[in-house]
Amino acid sequence: MDELTREFLIESQEGLDRMERCMTDLEERPQDAELIGEIFRSVHTIKGTTGFLGFKRLETLAHAGENLLGLLREGKLTANRPIITGLLQLLDGLRAILKTIEAKDAEGEGDDAALIGCLEELQLPAQTAAQRPVHARAHAHSAAAPPEQAPVSASTPVLGQLPVSAQPPEPVADTPSPPKAPAEAESDSSPARPRVQATAAESTLRVDVTLLNRMMNLVGELVLTRNQVLQATSADPNMTLLSRRLDMVTADLRESVMKARMQPVSNIFSKMPRIVRDLSQALGRRVRLQVEGQDTELDKSLLEAIKDPLTHAVRNSLDHGIESPEVRQAAGKDPEGTLKLRAAQEGSHVIIEVSDDGAGIAVEKVSQKAIERGLITADRAAHMVERELLQLIFLPGFSTAAAVTNVSGRGVGMDVVRTNVERIGGKVEIDSRAGKGTTLRLRIPLTLAIIPALIVRSVNQSFALPQGALSELVHIPPEQAATAIEWIENVPLHRLRGKLLPLIFLDRMLMPDVEHKIVTERDSFIAVLDADGRRFGLVVDGLADPEEIVVKPLSAVLKDIGLFSGATVLGNADLALILDPGSIALKAGVTMLEEGAVRAAESETDAAKGLEYLLVEVAGRQAAVPLGDVLRIEQLPLSRVEYIGYRPVLNFEGQLLPVEDSGGVLAAAQENSDAQGSSEKQIIVVVCREGNRHVGIAVSHVLDVAAGGDLFEAGTTQRTTGVTLLKNHVTGVVDLGSVPSLPAGEAAEPKWSQTEETVA
Amino acid sequence: MSTATVGLHGKEKAAVTLVEMCSVRLGQSLFGVPITHILEIVGSARPQPVPLAPMFVGGLFHYRGDVLTTVSLRQLLGMPPKDGSQDILVLESSGGCFGLLVDSVGEVLTVSSADHEPNPSILDERRRSLFAGAYKLKDSLLVMLDPEQLDPMRLSANRAA
């Protein structure tokens, strides 16, 4: 294929993508001259170029479409439903031919006569007038609705949809410009209405993705080199300025390159209006699509990866979620259902939500189906809480659709969504209320190339363990090594809070030929992993720091080993292989069903055993904090603690946290540091939730997490309050409610406060 | 054996072509790799071993932002592993880049195609697929390595076959 044709294909695809976005908008605002102009231009450009390249079939079809669009543009016709359907068929027709050209470098044989005939028929004014249904008028009406509705509903701002987008400039005038006057008049009346943009050829550039990948790679390399330079020069005062500058420039560069790979989610959201439209027609639903946060950006490769799961989720919502208009009306709901797509960035993740106001998921049906399919036992289902039952829909081979429709319900449903999202390090959550609707939430990491990982040691090497799969770490001191690991024949197991967890020894797995003994002279660690629903403990020799690692691909030869998903270079310039928890579980034969049993059993025992507590030490005494109330554990320099009067408080980005110090931990630390004259002493504060406020508790050490046992007052069946049985010791429970709240007046009046100098 | 003599030798027969070869040493033997395939020579490297990898894999090493797989020529030829650091030739083949782990890298020799002889028939099949004949030097033989055949992908495919 020559360069010219290739360019033509890319341009035409982009034009058709733009056209598709405009089409769904057109249905909302059939009078919008700017939209029609944009669609006209797309088709016109294709027609023009094909004539030049000699693709006759494409030209004829585009020509027929252009004629119809011309009439629309001149205002002789109004875009009603049949016309839009016709234009969508034209879009599909053009796409099909382009695909053939791409594959075979020729248009292929095909008969477009029917489609062309249909398009010509639509040009007859009498027919369209006769066919113009009430519906089109209803839509025209909605177009006149208040402008603030526009950005919320399916209207798609085309801003930022160009491959590498800067601020798109004004429409480029190399194609016939649309009649300006009516459009301008309209945009004056509704400033929030999105502007349709033509190509932004002047400020954007097409860049090969492989080149971007290469750049990303090199930047990763630069980051590593910088780290080493910084380490090497830290002692030299002459280099401080230079290395700081290097540091800054590198950080900036890395950010820019990552940004270049980012694309707005509108790239995939824009496909949804069409899917919703087609499906709701096929299923006889009435659905309004609302899209939010279209300009949220995500790495291109991740965007590609979530396209299918997202499409699947939308299909599911339409097929199983939103009811037919009659049913909705009977239930007292708006006959028109709402499907909401929302994207937003939260820290280092992008959240994508698909929510509907449909029937919700009937939990009883889910458990019934799961029992029927043999996914769980009836006994176990009876013990599961609603939230756990909802998770069952993610099991392979689960589908609640009563009948297999051609939309969804072939038993490959949510498990595919989950697998795809987890493959890229994301998470899927589901929330559903019967009769009210369902929300599916995808948590996607911002970028694939850099992931947080825990560095573990085994067979005298470092390995990176992705944090996403890690649920907790268990430390086995040498004296417990013999008892902590129990055996059924040659299968090692660990009792984790009373439940058996299958163990995999990393060293045995990596070096099966060597004789391994359980070492009793040094510490070992169990990393409790949850990979694709498989739960197991990975025994490693040691732990190093967690690190943000840059993932480098492995050659196919090493990928074939099946345990490593990549390699990375650590901060100390060592290489480390990245372990793939899913494959390790598979290789060791840890199965999903076993996991189901473990989880169900776990929830049973949890319920039976009561609360879990965080065991802390406060000034030599042990105390317990209910684990459910613990938000986080902060280690910070003593100098961060400030005082309002005598009350210690912590300032977290403008939020004041009262710190409970009945054990005198702070006072003791203060004395010590005063004696030593250093302000760098670290203190530990457990941040807890109490009612609707947060309180901090100053502790000396955090010891463990343990399940508490109830204690009964001697001679009675009355449960004692305030104490619990932890590790066979009676332990006092910290009463969070007794922490006095900050007096509003005190905090407001600065003259009361006796602020200390804060050292960041 | 010096480069100059070979050059002179080449000039005497105008029809023959001269090729530049990077000589590498492995134990007592001298091997040659065409310099056109060499991207870089990394001295005294210690590649990171990969557990469970095929025998011929010498480990991983970090090269300009990529993690490359190395092929250990010693292990490939069934020689005992060598202690201490070794040199790595970064080679480019049609399948991508990879490293070749050798004992040490020597000088670049210019050899004449007139001195080239094909693999002897008594060479075992495995070596015959890896070697591309030999050049007769004054006091020794320079055994040619075929970079395409040393590609880890190719090696694992051959091993499986």
Side-chain angles (χ1 to χ4, degrees):
Chain A
M1 197 187 300
D2 59 87
E3 197 56 36
L4 207 59
T5 314
R6 206 189 315 272
E7 195 127 302
F8 160 71
L9 284 175
I10 297 174
E11 248 166 41
S12 305
Q13 294 290 7
E14 278 173 12
L16 291 180
D17 285 350
R18 216 159 41 231
M19 173 174 169
E20 182 162 10
R21 284 193 290 270
C22 294
M23 291 300 288
T24 36
D25 285 1
L26 190 65
E27 204 159 19
E28 301 261 319
R29 305 191 301 271
Q31 310 284 359
D32 193 324
E34 219 175 306
L35 279 175
I36 296 172
E38 177 66 28
I39 298 170
F40 181 86
R41 271 200 303 279
S42 304
V43 177
H44 178 81
T45 314
I46 291 177
K47 193 197 90 171
T49 331
T50 37
F52 177 63
L53 288 170
F55 292 123
K56 277 277 172 294
R57 193 181 146 204
L58 199 56
E59 189 186 354
T60 324
L61 185 57
H63 181 72
E66 195 188 351
N67 284 345
L68 176 61
L69 283 163
L71 289 175
L72 284 172
R73 199 163 65 129
E74 286 155 26
K76 290 187 181 150
L77 282 178
T78 316
N80 54 23
R81 205 162 256 251
I83 287 188
I84 289 178
T85 309
L87 287 175
L88 285 172
Q89 276 164 4
L90 167 71
L91 183 75
D92 291 342
L94 292 175
R95 278 235 167 96
I97 302 178
L98 287 176
K99 212 171 213 168
T100 324
I101 295 177
E102 196 171 1
K104 299 187 192 143
D105 206 4
E107 292 177 288
E109 294 302 312
D111 191 16
D112 309 311
L115 181 51
I116 292 172
C118 168
L119 289 172
E120 274 164 3
E121 215 165 276
L122 286 168
Q123 291 172 29
L124 302 173
Q127 179 138 7
T128 46
Q131 279 190 356
R132 187 176 298 159
V134 197
H135 231 95
R137 222 163 281 147
H139 274 282
H141 175 74
S142 76
E148 62 264 28
Q149 201 177 316
V152 185
S153 63
S155 56
T156 320
V158 189
L159 287 178
Q161 273 167 1
L162 301 147
V164 180
S165 74
Q167 281 301 329
E170 290 301 304
V172 182
D174 59 353
T175 43
S177 52
K180 274 276 162 66
E184 268 160 21
E186 235 175 291
S187 59
D188 281 347
S189 63
S190 57
R193 215 176 51 83
R195 298 185 60 91
V196 179
Q197 296 287 349
T199 50
E202 275 147 21
S203 69
T204 64
L205 194 62
R206 267 196 206 105
V207 180
D208 199 337
V209 177
T210 49
L211 178 65
L212 279 178
N213 289 345
R214 178 94 191 113
M215 278 166 72
M216 191 69 209
N217 236 347
L218 290 174
V219 167
E221 175 75 350
L222 185 61
V223 169
L224 290 167
T225 316
R226 172 203 63 180
N227 292 351
Q228 285 161 33
V229 168
L230 290 188
Q231 260 176 28
T233 58
S234 58
D236 187 350
N238 295 325
M239 297 293 286
T240 318
L241 212 65
L242 268 180
S243 54
R244 189 167 300 166
R245 211 176 136 63
L246 174 68
D247 188 19
M248 260 163 48
V249 173
T250 312
D252 253 16
L253 183 63
R254 176 176 140 178
E255 193 133 307
S256 310
V257 174
M258 271 169 73
K259 230 182 155 68
R261 291 173 52 91
M262 295 294 213
Q263 287 193 304
V265 290
S266 57
N267 277 12
I268 50 170
F269 275 15
S270 62
K271 305 265 187 256
M272 297 306 160
R274 175 81 191 273
I275 293 170
V276 171
R277 181 185 190 275
D278 288 357
L279 274 184
S280 52
Q281 273 179 8
L283 295 165
R285 310 274 203 264
R286 283 178 57 197
V287 181
R288 185 172 57 237
L289 179 67
Q290 294 188 354
V291 187
E292 241 179 85
Q294 300 227 49
D295 42 4
T296 311
E297 291 191 320
L298 204 56
D299 192 283
K300 185 183 163 60
S301 53
L302 293 174
L303 215 51
E304 291 289 311
I306 60 164
K307 199 164 128 192
D308 285 346
L310 198 66
T311 312
H312 207 98
V314 167
R315 283 166 174 270
N316 257 343
S317 275
L318 288 172
D319 198 13
H320 309 317
I322 294 174
E323 316 91 324
S324 58
E326 302 80 50
V327 177
R328 289 182 67 89
Q329 218 143 22
K333 294 203 241 182
D334 183 350
E336 191 177 34
T338 308
L339 181 69
K340 239 187 260 177
L341 280 178
R342 197 178 75 89
Q345 190 179 335
E346 268 181 29
S348 59
H349 282 82
V350 166
I351 314 288
I352 295 181
E353 272 182 8
V354 181
S355 50
D356 62 60
D357 62 348
I361 298 174
V363 178
E364 314 81 62
K365 266 197 208 157
V366 169
S367 67
Q368 218 173 39
K369 184 73 98 190
I371 296 166
E372 234 169 75
R373 299 265 156 111
L375 298 171
I376 54 165
T377 63
D379 189 39
R380 201 183 304 147
H383 282 101
M384 286 165 90
V385 296
E386 202 164 300
R387 222 186 143 67
E388 285 172 314
L389 285 170
L390 269 182
Q391 299 299 321
L392 292 176
I393 66 164
F394 291 118
L395 290 179
F398 185 91
S399 174
T400 49
V404 172
T405 64
N406 65 350
V407 178
S408 52
R410 271 155 300 197
V412 285
M414 300 309 286
D415 67 310
V416 176
V417 172
R418 181 164 86 165
T419 317
N420 282 354
V421 172
E422 281 184 353
R423 190 172 299 147
I424 53 169
K427 278 208 161 73
V428 184
E429 290 158 24
I430 194 157
D431 205 0
S432 180
R433 282 195 295 164
K436 289 276 196 296
T438 307
T439 300
L440 189 77
R441 202 171 292 117
L442 314 181
R443 290 176 65 88
I444 316 290
L446 264 185
T447 161
L448 245 194
I450 297 174
I451 57 167
L454 179 75
I455 311 302
V456 300
R457 302 276 308 169
S458 188
V459 295
N460 278 325
Q461 284 187 38
S462 296
F463 295 91
L465 199 54
Q467 292 270 21
L470 188 65
S471 58
E472 62 184 294
L473 290 165
V474 180
H475 172 214
I476 302 178
E479 65 272 14
Q480 283 178 20
T483 52
I485 297 166
E486 295 170 271
W487 300 81
I488 297 179
E489 292 293 308
N490 53 355
V491 176
L493 299 156
H494 173 69
R495 260 187 242 202
L496 183 67
R497 289 189 285 283
K499 276 293 120 195
L500 290 178
L501 178 77
L503 291 183
I504 298 170
F505 286 91
L506 188 57
D507 49 358
R508 284 169 198 231
M509 177 157 258
L510 295 177
M511 296 195 159
D513 307 332
V514 186
E515 187 78 16
H516 292 278
K517 281 188 301 194
I518 301 288
V519 278
T520 45
E521 60 271 19
R522 61 186 163 81
D523 302 58
S524 52
F525 298 86
I526 300 173
V528 183
L529 301 173
D530 193 343
D532 311 333
R534 299 177 173 83
R535 197 173 155 89
F536 64 97
L538 189 70
V539 185
V540 297
D541 300 343
L543 301 178
D545 287 333
E547 262 185 54
E548 296 258 301
I549 57 168
V550 181
V551 181
K552 311 270 185 196
L554 279 181
S555 66
V557 179
L558 301 182
K559 246 189 193 138
D560 287 348
I561 300 173
L563 294 179
F564 313 114
S565 57
T568 190
V569 185
L570 302 178
N572 59 5
D574 271 359
L575 276 177
L577 287 154
I578 302 166
L579 296 171
D580 180 352
S583 312
I584 292 177
L586 268 181
K587 193 148 188 164
V590 179
T591 63
M592 208 90 130
L593 246 92
E594 234 175 272
E595 136 68 10
V598 168
R599 186 175 285 178
E602 228 174 45
S603 65
E604 256 170 64
T605 51
D606 280 357
K609 281 169 85 180
L611 280 168
E612 286 193 340
Y613 292 92
L614 182 73
L615 192 60
V616 296
E617 190 189 306
V618 181
R621 284 183 306 115
Q622 291 197 351
V625 184
L627 194 61
D629 292 336
V630 175
L631 292 169
R632 60 185 192 273
I633 299 168
E634 293 268 356
Q635 186 171 24
L636 30 82
L638 182 61
S639 53
R640 278 284 301 276
V641 181
E642 300 172 48
Y643 289 87
I644 298 177
Y646 61 91
R647 297 274 312 278
V649 293
L650 276 170
N651 178 2
F652 281 114
E653 287 145 16
Q655 304 207 337
L656 222 48
L657 182 83
V659 178
E660 166 67 14
D661 186 29
S662 51
V665 175
L666 292 181
Q670 190 77 56
E671 260 167 46
N672 271 345
S673 73
D674 283 350
Q676 288 162 16
S678 84
S679 62
E680 281 313 302
K681 180 147 173 78
Q682 299 282 316
I683 53 152
I684 300 168
V685 174
V686 180
V687 182
C688 305
R689 190 191 297 111
E690 199 279 312
N692 44 17
R693 64 183 180 131
H694 294 174
V695 298
I697 298 162
V699 301
S700 316
H701 298 286
V702 174
L703 298 171
D704 202 355
V705 172
D710 287 329
L711 290 170
F712 297 93
E713 221 171 302
T716 68
T717 52
Q718 198 181 342
R719 272 186 204 163
T720 54
T721 51
V723 288
T724 186
L725 193 65
L726 278 188
K727 295 191 152 188
N728 294 325
H729 289 287
V730 177
T731 313
V733 178
V734 177
D735 183 7
L736 297 170
S738 70
V739 180
S741 52
L742 288 174
E746 256 182 3
E749 271 178 68
K751 59 183 163 187
W752 276 73
S753 66
Q754 207 182 45
T755 5
E756 284 184 18
E757 196 68 17
T758 323
V759 183
Chain B
M1 162 97 244
S2 80
T3 325
T5 19
V6 180
L8 282 176
H9 186 66
K11 267 180 203 157
E12 284 167 18
K13 301 180 181 178
V16 300
T17 48
L18 294 178
V19 228
E20 285 187 302
M21 293 290 168
C22 179
S23 66
V24 299
R25 202 160 271 288
L26 198 74
Q28 298 303 310
S29 332
L30 199 60
F31 292 91
V33 181
I35 60 160
T36 45
H37 283 75
I38 302 174
L39 284 179
E40 192 172 324
I41 295 163
V42 183
S44 43
R46 284 177 187 277
Q48 169 98 358
V50 181
L52 302 178
M55 250 326 258
F56 60 82
V57 172
L60 290 175
F61 86 109
H62 183 213
Y63 174 71
R64 298 200 189 172
D66 285 321
V67 172
L68 296 189
T69 306
T70 62
V71 172
S72 163
L73 197 54
R74 271 185 173 268
Q75 278 157 6
L76 196 60
L77 298 178
M79 292 163 77
K82 178 180 177 281
D83 293 330
S85 70
Q86 292 177 283
D87 290 345
I88 294 177
L89 292 174
V90 182
L91 302 181
E92 197 176 22
S93 81
S94 47
C97 296
F98 65 96
L100 183 68
L101 194 61
V102 297
D103 285 3
S104 64
V105 177
E107 59 193 328
V108 173
L109 306 174
T110 309
V111 291
S112 150
S113 59
D115 295 329
H116 183 259
E117 295 233 6
N119 286 333
S121 54
I122 53 165
L123 205 62
D124 67 72
E125 202 170 327
R126 176 145 186 83
R127 285 178 165 72
R128 227 177 335 179
S129 72
L130 299 173
F131 299 161
Y135 285 92
K136 293 165 286 184
L137 304 183
K138 210 160 104 192
D139 47 9
S140 65
L141 286 175
L142 182 71
V143 182
M144 290 308 304
L145 294 173
D146 182 350
E148 288 297 332
Q149 297 297 331
L150 292 172
D151 187 312
M153 275 315 287
R154 176 77 62 114
L155 289 173
S156 77
N158 286 351
R159 202 180 48 141

